[in-house]
Amino acid sequence: MKNDLVALEDQNIGIASAQSSPDEPCGFDSQVANSPYQRILAKAESQHRLISVHWELTYRCNQRCSHCYLDVLPPDACVPEELTTEECLNIIDQIADEGALYLSLSGGEALIRRDFFQIAEYARFRGLSLSILTNGTLIRPDTADRIAALHPLRVSMSLYGASAAIHEHITRIPGSYAKTIRAFHLLHERGVRTVAKTPLMQENVYEFYALREQAERLGAQFQYDITITTKNDGGRGPLQHRMTDEQLLWFFRRELDPRPWISPRPNGRDRRFCSLGGLACVIRPNGDVSPCINIRVRVGNLRQASLREIWHEQPIWRELHGLTLTRLPKCASCDLQWYCTRCHGLALVEDGDLFACSTEARRQAALRRQVLREKGVIDNEAATPWSNWSGASSTAKSTCL
């Protein structure tokens, strides 16, 4: 059954990779929303089944990316709080015993850990489908061989620019661009599925098409993200990279696909913005367990309690999963709710309140609605984005193709 589900997820990736990461409502993909895989996930979510774990193995890193939400440590730092190899292998047993399907290993830079392959190989031995997030700079031919032997679901690498100048302006490490490009080539040659992940920023948004073309030449799927977040501690330094209104409008006018925004979506009191608390969790380098990357609340620690206890006995999962529109009064009365990709964690860390309006999500939603109006998809009188939409209209065809 587990292998069947992973195969279905693999098909899901195939559908999604046919296009760059579209700017769509959180968790909404018009092409796969009704797929067997998505239906299985929906059932698992309703049963609070742990499906996916994202594990930050270390906060040590060999780059110093200026937009990073982490306060990374030098590669050779002594970090006694990090889980030991033995502890990591025990946690993998717990993840597998809980019935999870997917494990993502990241950092910092995960490959800095000398025991990375021991951890990754054991995860595969226990039947977990493995994804690796890395900057790629430590991947040499022998490293690429060992990664290929893992048969990972994907290896995602950060690509910040179509040239060394912009990429290294962000990483602040000379030579890092060439090493990352080398890693894409080495893995592609070995048949490993790669993903070029690009956070769009002031520095690189106008390189969007060059970045997408570069990913294609590298044989990689291209994924982008339009949101730069604060530091974990609320520090606002990374926000200097956040795209301006003018840049977001430039991007939306060229790349915003109207279809996800005019397709009727669940309405009413039970509408949720994401599956928070239902399917996944995050493990920190010291064993802390959190609900997601952006909600750094410590639910428990794996040195003090088992994963089963943390996942099944802590009430916070049910509380977070119950964040429906009715519990978000500002969202429920907001005229931008249909154009919003609200992140609960962003509201918490940036606006100080899990239930408050996310000012960044609201900014993006206002600009998104403006562009949809410019495209003639909606008008000023429409109660919802699809109120005046005709799928057969010539406007729909011209803007969607």
Side-chain angles (χ1 to χ4, degrees):
M1 180 63 176
K2 177 179 285 192
N3 290 337
D4 292 341
L5 285 176
V6 172
L8 282 172
E9 204 269 354
D10 196 58
Q11 295 173 18
N12 205 43
I13 293 172
I15 295 172
S17 63
Q19 54 188 331
S20 301
S21 307
D23 179 50
E24 293 186 342
C26 186
F28 181 89
D29 187 326
S30 56
Q31 291 182 278
V32 300
N34 295 315
S35 70
Y37 176 73
Q38 291 293 335
R39 290 196 293 272
I40 291 170
L41 285 189
K43 183 175 181 179
E45 184 179 343
S46 69
Q47 298 172 346
H48 189 58
R49 296 284 300 275
L50 182 62
I51 298 295
S52 179
V53 174
H54 182 96
W55 192 346
E56 297 171 335
L57 286 173
T58 182
Y59 287 154
R60 291 175 287 153
C61 190
N62 60 340
Q63 295 189 157
R64 297 179 288 112
C65 299
S66 55
H67 71 292
C68 186
Y69 62 90
L70 296 171
D71 286 317
V72 296
L73 302 169
D76 56 354
C78 178
V79 190
E81 296 84 5
E82 278 186 9
L83 295 165
T84 66
T85 305
E86 183 179 358
E87 288 173 323
C88 288
L89 300 184
N90 177 265
I91 289 170
I92 288 171
D93 282 332
Q94 295 183 56
I95 294 170
D97 291 345
E98 193 60 28
L101 301 177
Y102 309 110
L103 176 63
S104 298
L105 299 179
S106 76
E109 173 48 53
L111 290 172
I112 280 178
R113 283 194 62 137
R114 295 179 180 177
D115 58 359
F116 172 81
F117 282 104
Q118 186 176 354
I119 294 167
E121 288 164 1
Y122 190 66
R124 293 296 291 125
F125 172 76
R126 287 305 314 265
L128 294 167
S129 181
L130 188 65
S131 297
I132 301 169
L133 291 84
T134 173
N135 60 40
T137 59
L138 299 178
I139 298 177
R140 300 176 180 85
D142 58 333
T143 319
D145 289 339
R146 296 192 71 178
I147 290 175
L150 293 169
H151 301 289
L153 193 61
R154 65 178 74 82
V155 176
S156 299
M157 290 179 280
S158 303
L159 193 60
Y160 302 121
S163 65
I166 291 181
H167 183 89
E168 292 173 9
H169 174 72
I170 300 299
T171 67
R172 298 188 283 189
I173 299 294
S176 57
Y177 176 77
K179 291 178 180 178
T180 296
I181 296 299
R182 176 189 65 185
F184 276 107
H185 287 301
L186 288 171
L187 293 175
H188 182 65
E189 290 166 1
R190 288 158 176 77
V192 177
R193 177 190 282 126
T194 56
V195 180
K197 295 177 72 71
T198 299
L200 291 180
M201 301 178 267
Q202 292 185 26
E203 292 86 347
N204 66 10
V205 60
Y206 297 124
E207 284 201 333
F208 175 79
Y209 295 103
L211 281 159
R212 188 163 68 183
E213 291 169 4
Q214 183 180 47
E216 184 176 355
R217 289 195 302 272
L218 293 169
Q221 179 188 345
F222 180 52
Q223 289 184 350
Y224 63 85
D225 190 345
I226 65 172
T227 303
I228 300 296
T229 64
T230 61
K231 291 279 191 183
N232 282 343
D233 60 5
R236 304 179 72 84
L239 302 190
Q240 64 181 308
H241 299 286
R242 188 174 274 177
M243 286 187 285
T244 65
D245 289 0
E246 179 183 0
Q247 289 174 322
L248 265 175
L249 285 172
W250 178 90
F251 180 74
F252 284 157
R253 284 167 180 151
R254 287 157 179 79
E255 286 298 309
L256 183 63
D257 181 353
R259 286 172 292 189
W261 303 98
I262 51 81
S263 300
R265 301 194 297 280
N267 195 0
R269 296 170 60 87
D270 294 331
R271 180 183 168 214
R272 289 186 292 113
F273 284 87
C274 71
S275 59
L276 178 66
L279 293 168
C281 69
V282 174
I283 300 175
R284 313 297 178 192
N286 67 350
D288 282 349
V289 176
S290 300
C292 81
I293 290 291
N294 288 325
I295 296 184
R296 317 294 287 193
V297 176
R298 181 181 182 273
V299 181
N301 184 279
L302 290 167
R303 283 173 165 148
Q304 301 168 1
S306 69
L307 180 61
R308 181 175 295 273
E309 291 170 331
I310 294 170
W311 181 252
H312 290 285
E313 297 178 11
Q314 293 299 322
I316 189 173
W317 304 110
R318 185 177 299 276
E319 294 169 8
L320 291 174
H321 197 250
L323 277 178
T324 57
L325 205 58
T326 190
R327 295 188 61 196
L328 301 167
K330 292 186 181 296
C331 296
S333 61
C334 180
D335 61 339
L336 292 168
Q337 63 174 278
W338 305 109
Y339 314 96
C340 186
T341 58
R342 170 191 167 86
C343 169
H344 302 310
L346 200 61
L348 177 63
V349 71
E350 199 165 314
D351 298 286
D353 186 348
L354 189 69
F355 303 93
C357 170
S358 168
T359 53
E360 174 59 13
R362 181 174 177 82
R363 179 180 79 105
Q364 294 178 11
L367 298 174
R368 195 175 286 116
R369 180 175 65 179
Q370 177 180 332
V371 170
L372 289 172
R373 285 174 172 167
E374 291 175 3
K375 289 176 178 282
V377 176
I378 59 172
D379 60 38
N380 293 334
E381 304 301 324
T384 64
W386 52 87
S387 297
N388 64 336
W389 176 259
S390 172
S393 71
S394 59
T395 302
K397 293 177 181 177
S398 65
T399 57
C400 291
L401 297 178

